[in-house]
Amino acid sequence: MRTDYAPIVSEFLDKAERAGVSHVTYLSAYGMEHAPAEVVIRAVELDLESRSGLTHSFIRPSWFMQNFSTSFLTPVNDVIAVPNGDGAEAFVSTDDIASVAAATLADPAAHAGKSYAPTGPEALTIGQAAEIISAATGRTITYFPIEQDAWIDAMLGAGVPEDYAAILRLLTTTVASGNGSQPNGDIQAVTGRPATTFAEFAANAASVWT
């Protein structure tokens, strides 16, 4: 969980150019085009944009659905505790993100200079997501909108580096303030198929929670 990797990536891109690589697809984050240059993810974008020897595609996905099965949104004792308030997010499947990335790499000329923001087909609150997981598992999963500082302290206690915890604070604040991602048609446009719904994800991941 590093947040100081821009120089490392820049060195890697130097080597890629020297090796004859012509196109790079970069996994960024939703809304990163609005971030200041000192934000590391945006710094890498700007580095790529400055390189005349490489074309690029940016993929800026919303929050991953898989965070509910493998990461900080996973229910603990049937409770999802996160400081998202009543804000909604268009959670996206990582499989769909991978499909978009594969398309940009399979036909770089068609996607050079393009930016895509893969999202799910619906914006959901954590409470609504918990209801869908409940239906998929046959258990009652509830959402507890924990106070943000308490949540950050718990993340730090679990070993999350302080600078990465600051990013998690920013992400949760964005959603809680009502500025979470909204559904778009990027997945359909790039892959030719609709985005995975949260209900489909939950049905496939149900065994993780049981």
Side-chain angles (χ1 to χ4, degrees), residues 126-151:
I126 300 294
Q128 290 170 326
E131 291 176 0
I132 294 171
I133 295 173
S134 297
T137 60
R139 302 195 341 249
T140 300
I141 308 298
T142 58
Y143 166 47
F144 176 68
I146 189 171
E147 195 273 328
Q148 190 180 62
D149 286 338
W151 184 73

Side-chain angles (χ1 to χ4, degrees), residues 53-76:
L54 289 172
T55 61
H56 64 269
S57 300
F58 294 151
I59 300 179
R60 299 174 175 135
S62 57
W63 285 27
F64 305 161
M65 293 179 181
Q66 281 73 12
N67 284 335
F68 286 90
S69 57
T70 63
S71 188
F72 62 93
L73 294 176
T74 305
V76 177

Side-chain angles (χ1 to χ4, degrees), residues 18-147:
R18 289 195 296 268
V21 172
S22 60
H23 180 84
V24 171
T25 292
Y26 175 54
L27 179 61
S28 182
Y30 192 88
M32 197 49 56
E33 65 273 25
H34 305 301
E38 58 267 23
V39 174
V40 64
I41 302 175
R42 180 59 176 160
V44 175
E45 288 189 351
L46 294 172
D47 186 352
L48 275 165
E49 289 178 342
S50 72
R51 293 175 182 266
S52 59
L54 289 172
T55 61
H56 64 269
S57 300
F58 294 151
I59 300 179
R60 299 174 175 135
S62 57
W63 285 27
F64 305 161
M65 293 179 181
Q66 281 73 12
N67 284 335
F68 286 90
S69 57
T70 63
S71 188
F72 62 93
L73 294 176
T74 305
V76 177
N77 296 326
D78 291 343
V79 174
I80 302 172
V82 65
N84 280 35
D86 294 324
E89 175 77 3
F91 300 101
V92 64
S93 171
T94 56
D95 291 339
D96 289 341
I97 299 170
S99 294
V100 172
T104 66
L105 294 170
D107 190 0
H111 300 282
K114 301 289 185 62
S115 299
Y116 302 109
T119 70
E122 55 191 339
L124 300 170
T125 65
I126 300 294
Q128 290 170 326
E131 291 176 0
I132 294 171
I133 295 173
S134 297
T137 60
R139 302 195 341 249
T140 300
I141 308 298
T142 58
Y143 166 47
F144 176 68
I146 189 171
E147 195 273 328

